[in-house]
Every structure is written in C-alpha cells, then in structure tokens.
Amino acid sequence: MYGVVTGEVDEHGQPADDTVVVALAGDPLYVGVKLLDQEHRLEDVRLLAPVLPRSKVIGIGRNYAAHAAELGHDLPSEPLMFLKPNTSVVGPGDPIFYPRQTRDLHYEGELAVVIGRICRDVPPEQATDVIYGYTVANDVTARDLQKSDVQFTRAKGFDSFCPLGPWIETDLDPQAFVDGVRVQTHLNGDVRQDGTTADLIFDIPTLVAHVSSVMTLLPGDVILTGTPEGVGPMEVGDEVEVSIAGIGTLVNKVAQR
Ligand code: MG
C-alpha cells in the first residue's frame, strides 16, 4: 500500500517525531494522489521500496571528480551510463545479499531521481517537469567483477544491489542540489562518504536530458546520480546507512546469500 509521509526531514536525513503516514488509494504515479481516511504513525509502519521502477534504473558512473580519481579514472567528457535491473531494487531495512561470486562488495551512497511521466529528448530546462521527486539510493557494486567484466551488468545487477528509500521527497527546490545537498554514508556508525551535490560533474537537468536522448523514460524509472569519494567494502553483518539532507536516511544490513 502507498502512503504520503508528512513533515520535514532534518539535515541528517531524520524525520520529525510526529511524522505520520496517510494511506493512499493505489499507486500515485499512475492514479494520482488519492488520500484515504487512514493515518498511521511512521514508527508503526514497515516501509517498502518507495518505487518499483516499471522499466529501469539508470546508473551514472564517475560523476564526482574525487570518486573518479580514487578509482584511477579520468573525468568523463559526457555522462557514463549503465543499467541496473529493476529486480535489484529493495527497500529500507531489507538485506543486501553478499553474492558468492564476489570478494569485494562496495557501498555507493547516491542521490536518486524518480521520473514522473513518460518522456524522451527532454531539454535540460524542462527536466524538472518530468521529475516526480528524489530519494536515497545505495548503488551496491561488486568492485572486483566491475574490473574483471567488460560490462557493469553483473557487478551492479545482483538482486538486492539497489536499495531505495525511505520515501520520495516530492517537495524540494532543485536549486538546492546546485547549492549543495549533503550525501553521507556511514558503515557501522562510522562516516565513510561525506559529499555534496554541488560537486556533481553533470547536474540533474543534464543527466535527464542525456539519458532521455538515448532511451524513453517511464513513470517510476530511477536515475542514480553517482557517488562521492570514499567507496569501500562491506562484510556480512555490516550495517550501511546513506543519508541525504532534507530527504531521508536509508539503512540496510549485509547478509549471507
Ligand atoms: Mg554508483
């Protein structure tokens, strides 16, 4: 069931104590927002992934200069795109499964853009018209397979490799990302990534224009905007937390597959 989460989220990605969820009739991406007379406290509900992409998750690689440098790459001259299957999506609190095929499973905390309507060839200046909102993502990556395979499909595509959530922020001025929104990743409580969207090489309108010049975007499709520096390994039992100021905090644990 879908719902509207009310209230503000602070600069650490934490919601206010009095946050409630108002139930909706149907999926708002397809039927619009139809409020039901049914309200729950946030702590009483179990959140699922806020969107199941109808067709695709598009990842953008090396979109922060310091992250490209830490992996030993030059800066891309245009956005580097890859796909994650929609079957990789899981929600807040769901396990990230450690596949037996890798020995180097990495977190990548990222801002995610959720598309709200079918579109193609979107000019950058109209990008916000097709954006439904923003959420938090972990672009989980098998780093060893990313290096050994020519394509990213396996390294980025295992089930549970795309945690999304905890919800979609639909009321955010996109100028905030230009000014700089903090993106942080904690592993077992220790800060590992601390970036700002002000450092994005290609900004969100540029990404929407670029991706939609290649493939039609459908409602519920998701664009991952890239990860700041500080990527690193996770082990079974680790808790990984990605926070974006004003949007939310996404927490998942790594489990044996
Ligand atoms: Mg990434």
Side-chain angles (χ1 to χ4, degrees):
M1 165 167 247
Y2 290 86
V4 173
V5 181
T6 66
E8 298 298 312
V9 172
D10 70 15
E11 70 271 23
H12 305 294
Q14 297 300 326
D17 289 340
D18 58 352
T19 301
V20 298
V21 183
V22 182
L24 291 175
D27 181 344
L29 271 168
Y30 299 101
V31 300
V33 174
K34 294 181 180 169
L35 295 171
L36 295 174
D37 187 18
Q38 192 184 328
E39 191 177 294
H40 306 277
R41 292 189 308 170
L42 180 60
E43 64 203 60
D44 293 338
V45 303
R46 181 186 162 211
L47 296 175
L48 306 177
V51 61
L52 282 178
R54 178 63 63 95
S55 69
K56 55 200 169 286
V57 176
I58 303 102
I60 303 294
R62 305 168 198 163
N63 202 22
Y64 289 82
H67 169 63
E70 74 180 346
L71 293 184
H73 298 292
D74 294 332
L75 296 190
S77 56
E78 58 182 350
L80 171 66
M81 293 169 53
F82 59 90
L83 289 174
K84 288 170 90 82
N86 58 3
T87 44
S88 65
V89 172
V90 292
D94 286 340
I96 296 166
F97 288 110
Y98 202 119
R100 59 177 168 77
Q101 296 94 329
T102 180
R103 295 285 160 79
D104 198 18
L105 185 71
H106 280 210
Y107 55 81
E108 293 188 1
E110 307 199 8
L111 169 68
V113 176
V114 182
I115 298 299
R117 61 185 225 206
I118 186 168
C119 59
R120 63 175 290 183
D121 292 329
V122 181
E125 59 274 14
Q126 288 176 24
T128 51
D129 297 347
V130 305
I131 293 174
Y132 190 78
Y134 306 91
T135 190
V136 183
N138 191 341
D139 175 22
V140 178
T141 302
R143 195 70 68 202
D144 48 354
L145 302 182
Q146 187 184 28
K147 289 171 184 154
S148 62
D149 292 359
V150 174
Q151 302 290 330
F152 288 2
T153 307
R154 183 165 66 140
K156 301 276 194 179
F158 284 94
D159 286 3
S160 80
F161 269 30
C162 191
L164 293 176
W167 40 67
I168 301 168
E169 173 57 63
T170 55
D171 187 20
L172 204 154
D173 180 353
Q175 179 62 34
F177 299 117
V178 179
D179 298 338
V181 171
R182 199 170 186 185
V183 180
Q184 280 194 315
T185 305
H186 288 81
L187 191 70
N188 301 322
D190 297 330
V191 66
R192 296 295 173 93
Q193 294 186 287
D194 191 359
T196 165
T197 58
D199 291 339
L200 285 169
I201 297 171
F202 301 105
D203 65 12
I204 292 168
T206 302
L207 295 180
V208 170
H210 185 82
V211 174
S212 71
S213 74
V214 176
M215 56 186 82
T216 298
L217 294 172
L218 301 184
D221 282 352
V222 172
I223 300 175
L224 309 181
T225 58
T227 199
E229 70 175 313
V231 297
M234 304 182 286
E235 303 299 336
V236 170
D238 284 351
E239 183 179 81
V240 59
E241 181 182 300
V242 184
S243 301
I244 303 185
I247 298 181
T249 296
L250 173 65
V251 184
N252 298 89
K253 271 191 169 178
V254 181
Q256 196 73 54
R257 186 163 180 146

